[in-house]
Amino acid sequence: MIRVEGLSKVFRRPRTFSGPFGTVRTLFTRQYEEKLAVDDVSFEIDEGEIVGYLGPNGAGKSTTIKMLTGILTPTGGSIEVNGLVPWRERTANARNVGVVFGQRSQLWWDLPLIESLRLVGALYDVRHFDKALSKVREILGLDGFLDTPVRQLSLGQRMRGDLAAAVLYEPPLLYLDEPTVGLDVLAKEAVREFIVETNRSGRTTVMLTTHDLADVEALCKRIILIDHGKVLFDGAIDALVNQPRRLVVELESGTRTYDIHDDLPGMVATIAAEHTIRDLSIVEPDLESVIKGIYAR
Ligand SMILES: Nc1ncnc2c1ncn2[C@@H]1O[C@H](COP(=O)(O)OP(=O)(O)OP(=O)(O)O)[C@@H](O)[C@H]1O
């Protein structure tokens, strides 16, 4: 479904100067600095998968997604989405993908939600609009606010409207960039349920970017972790979390950690024979600490 190989993106921006006459220098020197936002990234995503594409702020996630949608042209490497090269066949590619950017709406701000959805329907040539709408309005619970202008919607309502617009034309692939950002727990739950249902009923492939690891635990079997534009991990979450528990001991010389395999009392006895143990604790491998550990490597 998605094949990415050796993908890179370099942004070139004018070098800015601070201090007295900084603005004038910026305007006249014409020096540029380069930022390698995505650096030799490769992965494949199969039909029907839900993959979490995770990384700290500035890691290169949105830049990758923008290249996958065709908004940005890569500096190097190749991308194929459903047999198409996104930036060359941008319109055809757009029909294959639904996109939600949680931080900003794709809807028309001044139009009532229903009008925005009608426009999406017309743009994407949705033949049986009423049928398509009735499917999403029920599952996303749009009824109370279909006639409200988008600018007056609460964040949770707006997100549901954006999700509706993204799936109205039944694309086989969804890119969701922080779809639960800023939502309360119930609204997050509703969005997650919608994603699961869309993936299950239509075999829709989902690539999800989020900082909320509860989203990841609820939705993804596989994650791709990136930082500084590079892939640090690509694999099953189970493999990450099914790591041994860790024993953390406070010794006089400082803190040490050990993987716990089987004989915990024996391990403690061995350590105690050589050191004075001040305190000890056992740490379960949760996703957050495992991911933090990978970033820190
Ligand atoms: N249009 C641009 N021009 C110059 N630099 C850019 C541009 N867009 C992104 N960058 C830089 O590229 C890097 C990657 O940015 P990107 O938005 O892909 O990160 P991200 O992983 O999505 O981060 P976040 O979690 O904060 O959204 C950052 O250092 C960012 O400043």
Side-chain angles (χ1 to χ4, degrees), residues 9-13 33 35-38 53-66 72 103 177-178 209-211 226 229:
K9 179 70 190 177
V10 176
F11 288 112
R12 204 163 165 257
R13 56 187 164 199
E33 48 192 15
K35 169 81 202 170
L36 184 54
V38 172
Y53 194 58
L54 312 181
N57 291 131
K61 304 177 296 291
S62 301
T63 306
T64 310
I65 291 194
K66 284 178 187 160
L72 285 176
Q103 309 272 17
D177 194 346
E178 302 214 40
T209 286
T210 181
H211 289 290
I226 68 162

Side-chain angles (χ1 to χ4, degrees), residues 183-192:
L183 301 187
D184 68 45
V185 279
L186 288 179
K188 278 185 187 202
E189 201 44 51
V191 167
R192 287 176 196 144

